[in-house]
Amino acid sequence: MSLENQELRKAGLKVTLPRVKIYQILEKAGEGDHFSAEDIYKLLMEIGEDVGLATVYRVLTQFETAGLVTRHHFEGGHSVFELASAEEHDHIVCIKCGRVREFVDQQLIDRQYQIAKDLGFTITDRTLYLYGVCSEGCSAK
Amino acid sequence: MSLENQELRKAGLKVTLPRVKIYQILEKAGEGDHFSAEDIYKLLMEIGEDVGLATVYRVLTQFETAGLVTRHHFEGGHSVFELASAEEHDHIVCIKCGRVREFVDQQLIDRQYQIAKDLGFTITDRTLYLYGVCSEGCSAK
DNA sequence: AATGCTAATTAGAAACTTTCGCATCTGTAA
DNA sequence: TTACAGATGCGAAAGTTTCTAATTAGCATT
């Protein structure tokens, strides 16, 4: 049994073709890469998999609920998804070109835990997004 | 001349009825309150101001551009707005009792701007939420 | 292998937020 | 007061996400 199948079963999801294909796409993308539902839909079309857009959304939501992927919301009212990763990281989003970039800054993370501790909290989850304009590239479509 | 009018003029915007009304709503809300465009539209209806939803969006975008308000991107693909506050703050949320607490930590904020700068970004907006369990109170419903 | 039950998928339409186009109206400066 | 740039309102359009109803596929059991 393939790795994807194990992951899906472990998450309590039946192993179906759309789920496997979508999981593979996310997997191949690797860490730091983010896809919108539309991106994934187009990729599926390209490889000849006839999966509906609604299914892509549903499967991604199921993956999110199961903790397999993380959903990120940003400008323009659409979301991007990435395979849940073990390493804590944060995101910086270019509001012009839409690119999402990950970064890890231990000092920043440590400080957050320290603040929470000082306020009498135990952190279970964090969300940090920086929105801005990236200087290079960003051919402002 | 009223305070709102001065603010609008200072921002280079004509003083029109919709703009004044929308500004007043945001002002009355105070800090920490967040309104969606739809919320504001409904409030305008309630007080009998016949302002179109499109205008609400346009005005909010202008206010944002002028630096009068801050836009936050929330779940479900919609945005909320709050009057730009002089002080940047972040939020810590108790996942048990739902309490939201604001905090300000300059070191944390500075570090974020530094990271963005290092990555070639100019920050226009930030969102930091810490989720956790608060030790005291927290009458875990 | 075939069956039946359950759950998942599909396509299209609906829902929802946000933006656009254009005729009309308003605020502002002369 | 007048003229004009710019703002507004309305409806339609655009774009993302969700819903519905009918169909199909997965899977445990024969």
Side-chain angles (χ1 to χ4, degrees), chain A residues 9-122:
Chain A
R9 283 185 199 285
K10 209 160 50 181
L13 296 169
K14 278 192 188 171
V15 178
T16 65
L17 194 67
R19 287 177 181 165
V20 171
K21 289 298 173 189
I22 291 172
Y23 192 91
Q24 286 176 348
I25 285 175
L26 289 167
E27 212 171 19
K28 218 176 304 174
E31 299 203 6
D33 248 342
H34 305 77
F35 286 139
S36 69
E38 185 73 25
D39 291 336
I40 291 172
Y41 176 70
K42 281 180 189 158
L43 287 169
L44 287 167
M45 294 294 103
E46 278 174 23
I47 61 175
E49 291 297 337
D50 208 10
V51 174
L53 181 55
T55 299
V56 174
Y57 276 105
R58 234 175 309 117
V59 168
L60 287 171
T61 301
Q62 289 158 350
F63 282 6
E64 185 191 12
T65 304
L68 291 176
V69 307
T70 309
R71 177 196 302 248
H72 306 284
H73 300 271
F74 70 103
E75 311 271 331
H78 71 290
S79 306
V80 295
F81 301 82
E82 69 172 329
L83 223 49
S85 117
E87 184 174 39
E88 260 189 291
H89 60 263
D90 296 296
H91 296 89
I92 187 159
V93 182
C94 177
I95 60 174
K96 258 195 188 167
C97 66
R99 251 170 67 84
V100 179
R101 192 165 160 182
E102 290 182 2
F103 66 86
V104 177
D105 187 89
Q106 203 52 49
Q107 178 187 327
L108 190 67
I109 293 171
D110 291 344
R111 184 72 190 158
Q112 289 170 56
Y113 280 91
Q114 184 59 50
I115 290 166
K117 192 181 161 196
D118 292 346
L119 293 173
F121 277 73
T122 306

Side-chain angles (χ1 to χ4, degrees), chain B residues 9 15 53-54 57-58 77-79:
Chain B
R9 283 183 201 285
V15 179
L53 182 55
Y57 276 105
R58 263 186 309 232
H78 71 291
S79 303

